[in-house]
Amino acid sequence: MTCYICGLLFSLMKPTKYFIIDFDSTFTKVEAFDALADISLKDHPEKKAIKKQIEDLTNQGMDGSLSVRESLKQRLKLLSPNKSHLEQLVVVLRGMVSDSFKRNRTFFEENNGHVYIISNGFHAFIDPIVMEYGIKKENIFANQFHFNDKGEVIGFDEENPLSSNNGKVEQLKQLNLPGDVYVIGDGYTDYEIKHSGLANKFYAFTENVERDSILKKADHITPSLDEFLYLNNLNTVISYPKNRINVLLLESVHPVAVKLMKEEGFNVEVYPAGLTEDELCEKIANVSILGIRSKTQVTAKVLENANRLMAIGAFCIGTNQIDLDAASKKGIAVFNAPFSNTRSVVELAIAEIIMLMRNLPDKFAKMHEGSWNKSASNSFEIRGKNLGIVGYGSIGSQLSVLAEGLGMKVFYYDTEEKLALGNATKCKSLKELLQVADVVSLHVDGRSSNRHMIGAQELDQMKKGVILLNLSRGHVVDVKALKERILDGHIRGCGMDVFEEEPISNDEKFASELCGLPNVILTPHIGGSTLEAQENIAHFVPNKLSDYINTGSTSQSVNFPNLVLPILANAHRLIHIHNNVPGVLAKINSVLADNGINIAGQYLKTTEHIGYVITDINKEYNKNLIKEMRSIEHTIKFRVLY
Ligand code: NAI
């Protein structure tokens, strides 16, 4: 047992830590003078040119070609601020405090005696912002404006070291702090403190800006305050800094997705192409989140090497390229974008229905051959025709709504009980639907039992002169039988976007029995391929991944039990993934009880392979608890969210 007196002596012997923090682009996301220019020059006709001059003067002050004092003077002259502008600036800056500073408010409150703000900026806008975080007025060092009677800035306190070159060093010398000094900032003047020997360490803060020249000089690069606190074993509201979570995005996922993942604070690496199995086996060892599209094969062998992997995002609809069973057994949650291109498929279906009803594919071909055939025969409106939708899921049901809007009468058949939208009529059997429809549109999923669900018998059941669309899966239609019925005129037209055999790349040739048949539209599986759909996917998948990392929520995961969780407030969240065998929940709760922990909320869901238990606790816990939870038999993964 540690003796109280020894503990006290030890803590007295430990050097006190002082934290020197820069204001512009560190405490806040922006340079205050840039924000001030937007306010004081708001209606100025030459605002753009003046802002450029201000930027040049800032750089000249930084690179030494102009003294800091002269640079300040000239910039203030251009800005001509007054008290009202400064009041507005404070409001703007209040909303621009760096995100990691905002979430670590308790660090400032708990260490307020030891946190110093040292800035070449001005008290008038720094004090109101930082004091809201508990930083003491006497610990804020900055310049002071001079005002005239009208409240206009007419100058500043030129005796202040912070308006001169090397000013931060001078200021720190005067402070003479009796302990270890850590400097956090984004600029050269912050590094100078370390260079002068007055600080133990300089942390280059890159949450808002990255200046290459100082990154090389820094003891550590800290993409957020979380990282600084984590490195120094100080209290942090985040259990693990996000910049330590490695994200690998392959196959040129949409830039919006890359941006969103970076904004979340993850350490993101991007690859334009996919990786082979061997390359991925090597690369995956350090990856916590993997993003792929349809080409990258995430095999059991890849997953064997993926010991840090928590989640996979498929930036597409299908997940056949991922070994979902192996992922589940390793406790890796998989997310995709099941609805992001629904609308695109529906629009193409509508377009094809109209084109086929008008016999347009044949008319296009004839026109390209120079043949003019103006005639209304075999051309119909879609208004009032019966549309039979097979598979009333995301796509089928949306097609139902749009087609009805165009005046079609909608009939649908689904193996599951589905609510009829609008005035759609539900059919009790596929046969019933096929017998009534003028147009049949297939939107079933790709389960193997759906292979050739439309064969010779079903084609016979359809009305003579029917139009058939398949924008779902290639294996759903027996193409041989379809060809016969197109040639004998029973099927008047068809639109096929998907095929049992599809080329793997654009370089491979396409072949189908349907090539060259009359009134047939063939498209290369592009029902969902629009730029809007790509962008929707780029928003949807990162949201799912971040939610999983931040809250443990597995809503719409393809392989994990789906749990939608409330946002965690004032509690710790324990996330336990285990093999689905009896008794694990009881063991979790007994470990919690043995540690005297009261459960604030608990959520459990299982699938065939895994159990997913979330337990919210509102008490400080002993680090031993984590060890004990991890060693519960059948545990696959365990993590704690603060
Ligand atoms: P979904 O899963 O929301 O809906 C499928 C529906 O089909 C479900 O309601 C299911 O109960 C029903 N179903 C399954 N088998 C059936 C059967 N034998 N008879 C009647 N109903 C049956 O799927 P979603 O998102 O609507 O997609 C539909 C199809 O479209 C899928 O096969 C998907 O792969 C495909 N798709 C094609 C695209 C393209 O580019 N052409 C793009 C997006 C999806």
Side-chain angles (χ1 to χ4, degrees):
M1 208 173 93
T2 320
C3 143
Y4 171 75
I5 306 276
C6 300
L8 190 67
L9 277 175
F10 181 69
S11 68
L12 286 175
M13 275 158 54
K14 271 210 304 195
T16 312
K17 289 180 176 172
Y18 294 94
F19 308 103
I20 310 299
I21 300 178
D22 180 31
F23 184 75
D24 288 75
S25 299
T26 294
F27 203 102
T28 57
K29 295 177 189 177
V30 289
E31 294 286 315
F33 271 15
D34 288 344
L36 183 57
D38 286 333
I39 297 166
S40 70
L41 303 172
K42 190 166 163 254
D43 301 317
H44 199 293
E46 280 159 50
K47 178 178 163 186
K48 218 169 148 191
I50 299 178
K51 277 188 81 171
K52 174 79 183 72
Q53 283 182 51
I54 291 173
E55 195 187 314
D56 291 344
L57 287 165
T58 308
N59 291 336
Q60 285 167 22
M62 276 189 183
D63 68 22
S65 54
L66 194 68
S67 76
V68 169
R69 192 159 291 153
E70 198 48 39
S71 155
L72 268 181
K73 258 190 199 167
Q74 293 193 25
R75 280 183 289 163
L76 281 174
K77 202 165 163 210
L78 289 168
L79 284 164
S80 326
N82 59 36
K83 279 188 175 162
S84 151
H85 296 145
L86 294 169
E87 276 164 22
Q88 293 173 55
L89 176 63
V90 168
V91 175
V92 170
L93 292 179
R94 193 171 279 134
M96 299 297 285
V97 172
S98 296
D99 293 334
S100 65
F101 278 60
K102 270 193 218 151
R103 61 177 172 261
N104 286 294
R105 197 177 261 271
T106 46
F107 162 74
F108 296 105
E109 285 161 5
E110 284 169 10
N111 295 281
N112 65 354
H114 295 161
V115 175
Y116 288 75
I117 301 292
I118 300 194
S119 165
N120 301 110
F122 287 82
H123 279 290
F125 52 80
I126 296 176
D127 295 11
I129 307 294
V130 304
M131 282 168 69
E132 283 177 10
Y133 285 72
I135 294 169
K136 293 182 170 172
K137 193 169 174 51
E138 61 268 30
N139 286 3
I140 307 169
F141 294 88
N143 292 301
Q144 206 66 268
F145 283 127
H146 290 165
F147 297 94
N148 64 15
D149 294 347
K150 289 188 245 162
E152 294 161 344
V153 172
I154 47 162
F156 53 89
D157 165 22
E158 296 194 21
E159 299 307 307
N160 190 326
L162 287 166
S163 67
S164 68
N165 290 13
N166 225 16
K168 288 190 179 179
V169 173
E170 260 329 293
Q171 185 63 68
L172 217 71
K173 267 188 198 152
Q174 289 179 17
L175 276 171
N176 196 16
L177 297 172
D180 288 348
V181 173
Y182 299 93
V183 179
I184 310 166
D186 62 281
Y188 191 79
T189 54
D190 305 303
Y191 160 71
E192 276 180 336
I193 303 175
K194 161 81 195 302
H195 185 63
S196 69
L198 287 170
N200 300 60
K201 283 197 172 144
F202 167 57
Y203 295 82
F205 187 76
T206 57
E207 186 167 314
N208 306 309
V209 282
E210 275 188 34
R211 301 186 212 277
D212 287 345
S213 57
I214 69 149
L215 294 187
K216 289 186 209 103
K217 300 182 189 303
D219 293 294
H220 290 283
I221 295 169
T222 57
S224 65
L225 190 65
D226 308 310
E227 171 71 8
F228 171 80
L229 300 178
Y230 183 82
L231 276 171
N232 289 292
N233 240 337
L234 294 157
N235 259 347
T236 153
V237 285
I238 284 190
S239 44
Y240 192 68
K242 290 221 191 120
N243 56 278
R244 290 182 170 243
I245 296 182
N246 294 334
V247 176
L248 176 64
L249 299 178
L250 302 177
E251 301 184 59
S252 290
V253 303
H254 196 283
V256 167
V258 178
K259 182 171 156 266
L260 288 173
M261 296 302 270
K262 283 190 176 163
E263 276 173 10
E264 263 296 312
F266 297 127
N267 181 32
V268 181
E269 191 181 347
V270 181
Y271 260 63
L275 293 178
T276 63
E277 189 179 52
D278 285 346
E279 286 168 336
L280 195 52
C281 281
E282 203 182 313
K283 195 94 193 135
I284 202 84
N286 279 325
V287 173
S288 299
I289 300 174
L290 175 67
I292 57 163
R293 291 171 70 183
S294 51
K295 286 206 183 89
T296 307
Q297 300 298 312
V298 186
T299 60
K301 187 175 161 200
V302 168
L303 293 169
E304 260 170 45
N305 293 280
N307 290 330
R308 293 183 67 175
L309 196 62
M310 293 195 273
I312 301 172
F315 287 79
C316 50
I317 313 301
T319 48
N320 296 345
Q321 71 282 37
I322 303 166
D323 187 330
L324 292 176
D325 272 357
S328 306
K329 284 178 189 153
K330 272 213 96 142
I332 299 162
V334 179
F335 298 90
N336 66 342
F339 322 118
S340 301
N341 62 6
T342 303
R343 171 73 189 210
S344 305
V345 179
V346 170
E347 287 193 11
L348 186 64
I350 297 271
E352 292 195 354
I353 294 171
I354 296 173
M355 288 201 280
L356 292 166
M357 278 291 212
R358 304 288 285 265
N359 232 355
L360 286 188
D362 290 353
K363 294 206 162 79
F364 293 153
K366 286 271 182 282
M367 287 294 277
H368 281 284
E369 287 166 8
S371 163
W372 182 266
N373 179 15
K374 183 171 160 58
S375 149
S377 73
N378 258 339
S379 267
F380 302 93
E381 288 186 349
I382 63 165
R383 181 171 44 171
K385 305 295 180 299
N386 292 349
L387 169 64
I389 299 174
V390 185
Y392 207 59
S394 310
I395 295 176
S397 57
Q398 197 173 141
L399 175 61
S400 170
V401 174
L402 292 200
E404 214 169 83
L406 289 166
M408 298 190 86
K409 283 190 224 141
V410 175
F411 296 81
Y412 72 91
Y413 168 67
D414 199 295
T415 41
E416 298 286 316
E417 193 55 51
K418 296 279 170 159
L419 175 73
L421 299 182
N423 300 312
T425 307
K426 185 174 140 191
C427 295
K428 289 195 193 66
S429 66
L430 179 61
K431 188 175 169 191
E432 186 185 326
L433 178 137
L434 297 179
Q435 286 174 339
V436 72
D438 300 309
V439 179
V440 174
S441 198
L442 307 174
H443 300 287
V444 297
D445 54 58
R447 68 184 77 174
S448 53
S449 59
N450 281 342
R451 184 161 192 277
H452 291 188
M453 62 176 280
I454 301 295
Q457 183 188 321
E458 289 72 24
L459 292 166
D460 280 349
Q461 288 165 355
M462 294 182 196
K463 284 185 179 176
K464 183 164 168 51
V466 73
I467 278 165
L468 175 68
L469 295 190
N470 184 15
L471 289 86
S472 62
R473 293 296 184 97
H475 68 259
V476 167
V477 177
D478 177 353
V479 169
K480 238 187 183 102
L482 174 62
K483 179 180 179 180
E484 279 174 26
R485 304 318 313 264
I486 292 175
L487 287 175
D488 70 15
H490 184 68
I491 308 285
R492 195 167 65 84
C494 100
M496 290 282 150
D497 186 45
V498 286
F499 305 87
E500 248 181 310
E501 306 275 316
E502 291 182 3
I504 293 175
S505 74
N506 287 353
D507 303 328
E508 211 176 291
K509 238 182 138 37
F510 166 71
S512 163
E513 314 225 18
L514 302 175
C515 289
L517 295 188
N519 208 25
V520 168
I521 298 176
L522 302 178
T523 44
H525 203 151
I526 40 115
S529 307
T530 60
L531 293 183
E532 287 87 347
Q534 289 303 312
E535 199 168 329
N536 287 343
I537 293 172
H539 281 282
F540 191 88
V541 179
N543 279 345
K544 290 283 153 203
L545 292 168
S546 304
D547 261 11
Y548 178 60
I549 300 296
N550 294 339
T551 70
S553 170
T554 49
S555 140
Q556 288 166 9
S557 163
V558 225
N559 66 330
F560 254 47
N562 280 203
L563 270 183
V564 183
L565 297 162
I567 291 184
L568 188 65
N570 303 324
H572 304 289
R573 177 164 285 170
L574 313 180
I575 299 182
H576 194 272
I577 307 167
H578 53 266
N579 297 320
N580 186 11
V581 294
V584 180
L585 181 63
K587 282 188 196 142
I588 291 174
N589 287 343
S590 113
V591 167
L592 292 171
D594 291 349
N595 282 274
I597 286 171
N598 193 31
I599 296 172
Q602 193 165 52
Y603 315 86
L604 160 76
K605 239 181 175 177
T606 55
T607 58
E608 189 192 342
H609 292 306
I610 56 170
Y612 190 53
V613 178
I614 308 290
T615 311
D616 290 347
I617 58 173
N618 52 17
K619 184 175 182 294
E620 279 307 315
Y621 62 88
N622 185 321
K623 292 268 156 25
N624 226 14
L625 173 72
I626 297 181
K627 250 196 202 153
E628 288 183 37
M629 292 291 261
R630 284 209 169 111
S631 54
I632 291 173
E633 205 185 347
H634 300 297
T635 299
I636 301 174
K637 271 192 164 63
F638 175 74
R639 66 184 171 114
V640 184
L641 290 179
Y642 281 81

